[in-house]
Amino acid sequence: MKEFAFLSGGRGKDKAWIITLPDNAGFNQVPEESVARVLTYLTSVPSQHESDTKFILILDRRLDTWTSVKTTLQKIASFPGNLHLVMVLRPTGFFQRTFTDIGFRFSQEDFLLKLPVVMLSSVSDLLTYIEEQQLTPELGGTLEYCHSEWVIFRTAIESFALTVKDIAQMLQCFGTELAEAELPEDMFCIERLLALRTERYLQLKEEITAVTKEGKLLLSSFEEPDSGECSQEQQQERPGDWETVNRLLGQLREMETAFDGFWEKHQLKMEQYLQLWKFEQSFQESAIEFLMGQQAELPDTGDSVPQVKQRLKELESLDGLAQELIGKAQVVILHGHQLAANHHYALNLICQQCNELRHHCDLLAEHGKRKQLHLQRTLELHTRLQQALQCCDEGAYLLANQQMDKCQSKEGAQKALQDIERFLESSSSYLNYDPQALQDDFESVLTPELKCQLQAVQGKLDSVRSMFESRQCCFRRLLDKHVRPVQLVAPRPETPPRAKSPLFSPKHGKTSCTYGFPAGNSAVRQEEKGLGWHVINELIETERVYVEELFTVLTGYRAEMDNPAMLILLPPVLRNRKDVLFGNMPEIYDFHNKIFLHSLESCLGAPERVGCCFLDRREDFQMYEKYCQNKPRSESLWRQCSESSFFQECQRKLEHKLGLDSYLLKPVQFVVFQLEELLKYSTSCDGVQELQEALVAMLDLLKSVNDSMHQISITGYDGDLSELGKVLMQGSFSVWAGHRKGPTKMKDLARFKPMQRHLFLYEKALVFCKKREEHGDGYDKTSSYSFKHFLKMNAVGITENVKGDHRKFEIWYSGREEVYVVQAQTVDLKMAWLNEIRKILFKQQELIKGTFAQFLCGFHSAAEAFLLAHC
């Protein structure tokens, strides 16, 4: 079908683009929707690179009829662009021209309201509005236009634009894939993934290069020739084609530049991620901690010279391995410094691990030197003890081999005496040494076993010295009296005096003073004495009142719940629930009434025993923890029925001014207050140490109760919290989850924001919770803790110092599979937590050693029994 509209590239005097509707007999059969689509497309071509584009329509209807003209004007009435002017070349036939003039005259107002229409009689009239260089030859102009060629170029441009769009989508998909894909967990897969992504990047670059080449080739087809053979009027102008292709090429260049920048950053991140994996693998393969464990397992003492020499030999072997590992660790540290110097994204983690590795190297070298010195000193002590025993053996051998028949003469006795004196002179350094000085000299290596050996050797030396002195005395008497020598026997060695242990020193005499009052002015002492006794009496009286109040509550409230006469007043919600409302109050009453009150009363004559009274019963006070853990349930039940007639009647009978809820945990806090008051007047005499320890014990009790109250607010834990042991500490911290094994995404590498966590330290686990906002108001206001995860303490390790903040410390789990940096609010709080964690880890280590020792003991016993049975 012949074209019914085209955009030739010509323009009017006001730069409006010309759209020509040539003479087409089949135009009236074209659907209006098709006309609208074609016009929309033609107006969009120049509008892509110009704003406020105007158009001129030329309707060539010289061979047509007035009906066709009218139909055409109606179809273009809803022109999609800024229509500046419509020029109609009216039919040239006499009758059709007449009909057109008459029809247009009658319909002129209708058309002019919608379109700016100008009726032209001939092409010459058209030239008065538009220059001939802007018109095609069929309209009397010189502008060359080939519609089939125009369609080919427009198809090429549209194809190029679609290709550019596809390239943009591919780049976007590739970027999303790089950001969202999970990174592998081993170096080989990471290297393989980086190689595949690099290959994909190069493929995309080749596609961008090919499309750019295609666009440049297309752009060159629109450039005007440089030769002067054609005048400016003869040159063909294609509206917007050059600008469109050039704009698409610009977009392609921008995409390529952005893509190159993105890939450069991604490649750097991937390479740094691979470097971090290699660094961490080298860090883990350093095996310094394993060697430190082996070094720690090697005892720094021994029971004999051969055993100590063997351990020195083993330590020398470990030192050789240590030097080799320290050399490798220095290479790892150097690698870490190089990564840090290149601004690695995990700079803090790398520096932290370098510092940790350097610290472990220093500890390994320091512990090795200290253990070697300790073993060398132990070897020196064993050598001296061995030499002393050898001296004793030589002396015993000398005495045993002296021939008594030769000693009966003067010469024989003199020779025997000389032998004894020579031995005493040569062995004087052993026989006359100061045991206390030797203990002081080797105090750093003395163990209970070595002390026993030292005392045994000293006893043997004393025995030998005594025997020589006795024999020496006998021979001298023979020489002096020149009489027949008597039969000599070796005297029984005297029991050597027990060596005094340097661990004990003489006790100072007790200072005589009145309990709780320093020496000084007698009037002041009497006044302080009265105050001190007043506080003691008040403490006992408070205990009595407390016991009485507990008794009235149990008999006046709890027992009344089983009274048939009161059953009618008892709310249904309270029936069979007295254990919930009162908890273990009967147990508390029995303890105070039968045990603790009597203990306090026994202190009236000996006030210095008050502290011991509390310390001896510190375990019994743990029953308050159970009472407080039940307190939320008790309070919830109380609030449901506090206004019931049952409680009002019980309170009336007891003549209590306060309700049942007033008799709760106040006495424990009041006891602590009484201890503090008593401690003020007991600062310089017997019992003050016990009072201070009692105060600490009671404060620890309150802390334990407070911790347990927080524990019962933990939600979401799938298990029994009591199986984790006792709550030792709890508090809120800022926590950073460090690099650990597991799926990692590129977008996770820059996540350094801390998490707010509430930590609970149990004897067997460290529990991480998230504190929820307090809900309720007034009396009902409570907090809850949402369980997140926990770490078993038998797999936990700590690093006490973290670079950058003295309040931070590190908790690592299962060989650093998981690492958490924890920041306390203060340095003191951090040290308190570290001390508790160290205690737990030390107890675990002692438990393991004890279990192993029991196993060895049982094994040796079984072996001895087996040998005895088969010998």
Side-chain angles (χ1 to χ4, degrees), residues 596-644:
F596 193 66
L597 177 58
H598 298 295
S599 299
L600 286 178
E601 290 173 343
S602 67
C603 297
L604 279 172
E608 67 274 9
R609 291 168 49 194
V610 171
C612 293
C613 182
F614 280 90
L615 291 175
D616 293 342
R617 303 297 178 186
R618 73 174 80 185
E619 297 298 328
D620 295 321
F621 276 97
Q622 295 298 325
M623 66 181 66
Y624 276 96
E625 185 172 342
K626 179 180 178 182
Y627 181 81
C628 292
Q629 288 178 346
N630 180 68
K631 193 165 177 266
R633 298 174 60 207
S634 174
E635 291 174 347
S636 176
L637 185 59
W638 164 257
R639 288 193 294 272
Q640 296 179 45
C641 51
S642 59
E643 303 297 330
S644 69

Side-chain angles (χ1 to χ4, degrees), residues 372-596:
Q372 184 181 29
L373 179 61
H374 202 279
L375 284 172
Q376 287 175 346
R377 291 288 291 167
T378 303
L379 178 62
E380 182 181 353
L381 177 59
H382 273 296
T383 302
R384 293 180 65 171
L385 293 178
Q386 189 179 48
Q387 291 172 349
L389 289 174
Q390 184 178 357
C391 174
C392 293
D393 294 340
E394 291 174 355
Y397 180 81
L398 175 63
L399 294 179
N401 286 277
Q402 283 185 336
Q403 300 179 6
M404 293 299 103
D405 55 344
K406 294 183 178 180
C407 294
Q408 293 179 358
S409 63
K410 179 179 178 181
E411 292 77 8
Q414 189 172 10
K415 182 178 182 306
L417 182 61
Q418 291 174 353
D419 291 341
I420 291 174
E421 289 177 348
R422 280 197 299 271
F423 177 80
L424 292 175
E425 182 180 359
S426 63
S427 305
S428 60
S429 59
Y430 301 107
L431 297 176
N432 300 321
Y433 84 99
D434 183 4
Q436 186 62 47
L438 188 64
Q439 281 195 10
D440 295 341
D441 192 18
F442 290 95
E443 179 67 28
S444 61
V445 299
L446 278 181
T447 62
E449 293 78 10
L450 281 175
K451 285 183 179 180
C452 292
Q453 291 185 32
L454 186 61
Q455 292 175 1
V457 171
Q458 177 61 33
K460 195 168 185 179
L461 287 171
D462 291 341
S463 177
V464 170
R465 184 170 57 248
S466 176
M467 293 168 62
F468 270 89
E469 289 175 354
S470 176
R471 182 72 62 88
Q472 187 180 34
C473 182
C474 290
F475 283 133
R476 283 177 179 172
R477 283 201 301 269
L478 282 175
L479 291 175
D480 291 341
K481 296 183 180 180
H482 299 286
V483 295
R484 182 176 61 84
V486 298
Q487 182 67 31
L488 297 176
V489 296
R492 177 179 297 175
E494 299 178 2
T495 303
R498 182 182 180 186
K500 294 179 180 179
S501 172
L503 298 177
F504 299 94
S505 59
K507 294 184 178 179
H508 298 290
K510 292 185 178 180
T511 303
S512 175
C513 69
T514 303
Y515 177 76
F517 313 109
N521 183 276
S522 60
V524 175
R525 288 202 302 273
Q526 291 298 325
E527 180 181 0
E528 293 176 342
K529 180 177 179 179
L531 289 172
W533 282 109
H534 170 73
V535 174
I536 296 171
N537 288 329
E538 186 176 351
L539 180 62
I540 297 174
E541 184 60 27
T542 300
E543 179 67 14
R544 289 172 180 164
V545 172
Y546 179 43
V547 170
E548 292 176 3
E549 289 179 342
L550 289 177
F551 177 77
T552 58
V553 170
L554 292 174
T555 57
Y557 286 97
R558 192 176 187 274
E560 287 296 300
M561 294 177 69
D562 296 327
N563 185 358
M566 296 287 288
L567 189 60
I568 191 173
L569 299 177
L570 189 68
V573 71
L574 276 178
R575 294 177 182 176
N576 300 321
R577 302 191 70 186
K578 58 184 179 183
D579 290 337
V580 175
L581 184 62
F582 296 95
N584 63 330
M585 185 180 287
E587 180 186 9
I588 295 174
Y589 168 75
D590 288 338
F591 164 69
H592 283 273
N593 182 49
K594 297 178 181 180
I595 300 175
F596 193 66

Side-chain angles (χ1 to χ4, degrees), residues 612-752:
C612 293
C613 182
F614 280 90
L615 291 175
D616 293 342
R617 303 297 178 186
R618 73 174 80 185
E619 297 298 328
D620 295 321
F621 276 97
Q622 295 298 325
M623 66 181 66
Y624 276 96
E625 185 172 342
K626 179 180 178 182
Y627 181 81
C628 292
Q629 288 178 346
N630 180 68
K631 193 165 177 266
R633 298 174 60 207
S634 174
E635 291 174 347
S636 176
L637 185 59
W638 164 257
R639 288 193 294 272
Q640 296 179 45
C641 51
S642 59
E643 303 297 330
S644 69
S645 302
F646 173 82
F647 290 116
Q648 294 176 3
E649 180 62 17
C650 291
Q651 185 175 349
R652 185 190 64 79
K653 290 181 180 180
L654 294 172
E655 298 182 353
H656 282 178
K657 295 182 179 180
L658 301 176
L660 175 62
D661 56 333
S662 300
Y663 299 90
L664 294 175
L665 198 58
K666 295 180 182 178
V668 177
Q669 298 161 336
F670 192 67
V671 167
V672 175
F673 170 75
Q674 293 295 338
L675 281 172
E676 292 175 337
E677 289 298 311
L678 185 59
L679 196 59
K680 291 180 182 178
Y681 305 101
S682 310
T683 57
S684 60
C685 41
D686 294 343
V688 64
Q689 181 67 29
E690 288 77 9
L691 277 173
Q692 291 174 342
E693 292 178 6
L695 179 60
V696 171
M698 296 304 292
L699 291 175
D700 287 343
L701 171 64
L702 290 181
K703 177 182 177 298
S704 177
V705 170
N706 179 58
D707 292 344
S708 67
M709 295 296 290
H710 283 274
Q711 172 193 263
I712 62 177
S713 299
I714 295 177
T715 61
Y717 179 76
D718 187 14
D720 187 2
L721 287 171
S722 62
E723 295 178 355
L724 303 182
K726 183 181 178 182
V727 181
L728 302 177
M729 300 193 79
Q730 55 84 25
S732 297
F733 297 87
S734 296
V735 179
W736 287 263
H739 183 78
R740 61 180 185 270
K741 296 180 180 178
T744 305
K745 296 183 178 180
M746 290 294 297
K747 61 183 180 182
D748 294 331
L749 297 180
R751 185 177 294 170
F752 299 116

